Every structure is written in structure tokens, then in C-alpha cells.
Amino acid sequence: RLSELLATRPTITAPENPVALPDPARGAVAFDGVTFNYPARPDRAALADFSLNVRPGERIALVGPSGAGKTTVFQLLLRFYDAQAGRITFDGVALRDADPRDLRSRIGLVAQDPMIFSVSAAENIRYGRPDASDDEVRAAAEAAAARDFIEDLPQGFDTYLGEKGVRLSGGQRQRIAIARAILRDPALLLLDEATSALDAESERLVQEALGRLLKGRTSIVIAHRLSTVLEADRIVVMDEGRIQAIGRHSELMGQGGLYARLAELQFDQARAGLSVPSA
């Protein structure tokens, strides 16, 4: 079975003559009429005729019920899959025409359940940019509010974190992932926000670190907190793979409908210290 797996040819490959992405990267993203079905669910579109333009430096919040297609947007932007119809571009270059490694080097991802490797704290952060110096790794940890707890570990930055970061709390794992993204300094940040399981102090530290990471760069955030959608330049409301509405919080609340129901039921109003008017 291992030999069979190793012999499998990936479906996502670099073209023979890839188109170079602009340098420096701007972080502009465009979905144009994209339809995508996962191979395991060929009869159900995860995205259907999905079109969205994200301007450089813009902060977009994706909102919708489970299965709306929010994570699929991330999967396609990272080119883990190719859409069956439509076109996706990064800085004006179609993803299919670019080298996937070049594309992914310009994108940072902070996942809901961040991947922590069973190596040292420094090596986990340096995964964001393997050629980074020790000083750069420490500066990234400082910006992510991670330096203090790392230096308190038995061997500091040289401490092995264990399988999946078993030696760390949830908030500490998130801050390691944020430090990794800060070190990478991507033009586009994809953030699957995940602070609902953290205690109040960890959540505050993670949110402060995220604020520094988001500043001045294009970002697309799968939003779980009310404060996140309030800070977004535009909120994209999704359901069943389609865009239902786009706007600011006050505009969408005034329209009622799906967004207003989600705002009342899902967003963490109490922690944000903000009230949501009823639809």
C-alpha cells in the first residue's frame, strides 16, 4: 500500500512553462464563475457559479452555516484542487498557469487546528520561512505574543513541543501558528478564526497577535466572532456554495435574512461586548 501511494501521480502539478507571479506580490484575488465539486461528492457543488473580487489590502469575512463553502474557498486558493468551471486568479495570473510552490509562498494560513510538528519551537516557527535567522524567528515570536511562554519552556526555543504540540495549550499553539505566518510575511492571509475554545486571557493575546498579522495585508477570514465581521471591509454571506449577500454589518442587519439570523445565533456577542440588533 505504501508503494502504491508513493507511485500515485498528483493531479495538481506545475505547468511546463509556468507564468511568473508579479513581484512584489499585491495579494489581489478573483473568483470568476467558479463551480467546484469534491471528488467524493460529484453530485453536489461545494461552490456554484461563485464570483468574488478581493482588492489588495482588503479584509474579507466569510460568513455562513456549516457546509456553505467557506473552507472550499481556501482549498481552491491554495490550489489543493482545481475547479471544474470558472477561473481563479492571484495578482492577475490564473492559478492553473502558475507554479503552485510560487503561489503558496505568497499565502499564509492560520488554521482552526494549527499543525504543530514534534520538533523544537524555533523549528516550528521557522517552517514559515526556512531561511530565517534566529533573530527573525525570535522577532516573529515576539510579534505573536509567543516569546515569553517559549522562553519559559525547559530549553526555551530549542524545546521539543511533542506530537501535535502536546506540551502547549490551545492558545499557545495558535500563537506559534501566528508567529509562523508573521515570519512568512505573506501577501495574502487565510485565517480560519478559532478562539471560541480559549480562555479569556489566551483569546486576548491571540486576538492582539492576529491584529498585528492582519495589518496592511489582504486577508480572507472565516469569521466566528462578531468583532471580526465588524472589522471587515466587506462581509460575504454564503450558503450552499453561493453568495447570498455582500456588505457591511449594518447593511446586512438592515436586510434581515440569513446574515441577521447567523449574527443572532452564532457570533460571540458576549465576549465581543457588542450587541446585535434583532432582525
Side-chain angles (χ1 to χ4, degrees):
R1 292 175 64 186
L2 286 173
S3 297
E4 182 181 345
L5 178 63
L6 291 170
T8 301
R9 296 178 62 85
T11 57
I12 304 299
T13 58
E16 288 189 12
N17 298 296
V19 176
L21 291 167
D23 193 16
R26 298 167 56 243
V29 170
F31 287 76
D32 185 10
V34 171
T35 295
F36 172 70
N37 300 58
Y38 284 102
R41 292 176 290 176
D43 57 338
R44 181 178 179 272
L47 290 182
D49 195 25
F50 183 90
S51 294
L52 176 67
N53 288 310
V54 182
R55 298 181 292 272
E58 189 174 22
R59 186 180 301 189
I60 297 291
L62 301 182
V63 171
S66 178
K70 306 183 295 294
T71 299
T72 302
V73 171
F74 284 14
Q75 301 269 21
L76 293 179
L77 270 175
L78 289 162
R79 207 181 166 215
F80 293 158
Y81 300 93
D82 281 332
Q84 284 84 20
R87 188 169 183 260
I88 307 171
T89 62
F90 184 94
D91 282 351
V93 176
L95 300 195
R96 289 176 182 266
D97 296 335
D99 186 325
R101 290 171 297 184
D102 192 15
L103 169 70
R104 293 166 188 161
S105 72
R106 295 156 188 259
I107 300 175
L109 172 67
V110 179
Q112 195 169 47
D113 185 15
M115 176 59 69
I116 303 297
F117 302 100
S118 55
V119 293
S120 71
E123 289 173 294
N124 264 286
I125 295 173
R126 191 176 276 112
Y127 186 78
R129 183 158 58 84
D131 62 349
S133 68
D134 289 346
D135 287 343
E136 288 171 323
V137 168
R138 290 175 183 274
E142 179 79 34
R147 183 166 182 168
D148 287 349
F149 81 76
I150 292 174
E151 291 183 338
D152 285 341
L153 294 171
Q155 286 82 44
F157 278 82
D158 294 326
T159 303
Y160 281 77
L161 301 184
E163 191 72 22
K164 297 184 178 179
V166 68
R167 304 183 68 167
L168 303 178
S169 69
Q172 290 171 339
R173 287 195 294 271
Q174 283 286 2
R175 282 178 276 162
I176 290 285
I178 292 167
R180 188 185 291 162
I182 289 172
L183 187 65
R184 193 177 191 84
D185 192 23
L188 170 65
L189 177 68
L190 306 180
L191 173 63
D192 191 349
E193 188 182 56
T195 58
S196 60
L198 304 181
D199 61 75
E201 178 63 14
S202 294
E203 181 180 9
R204 181 185 65 81
L205 291 168
V206 168
Q207 289 300 328
E208 288 176 356
L210 285 174
R212 289 187 285 271
L213 177 58
L214 290 165
K215 189 174 182 179
R217 72 181 81 244
T218 311
S219 58
I220 303 177
V221 183
I222 296 177
H224 303 292
R225 302 175 75 253
L226 180 59
S227 61
T228 299
V229 298
L230 290 175
E231 292 163 1
D233 296 310
R234 286 188 294 160
I235 303 163
V236 178
V237 186
M238 299 178 62
D239 192 25
E240 296 184 349
R242 298 180 183 272
I243 294 177
Q244 301 296 319
I246 300 179
R248 299 297 298 266
H249 173 74
S250 58
E251 299 168 350
L252 295 171
M253 288 301 296
Q255 296 171 14
L258 176 60
Y259 179 80
R261 294 198 301 274
L262 289 170
E264 291 176 344
L265 295 173
Q266 283 185 234
F267 296 133
D268 191 355
Q269 302 167 35
R271 287 205 217 190
L274 299 161
S275 60
V276 179
S278 58

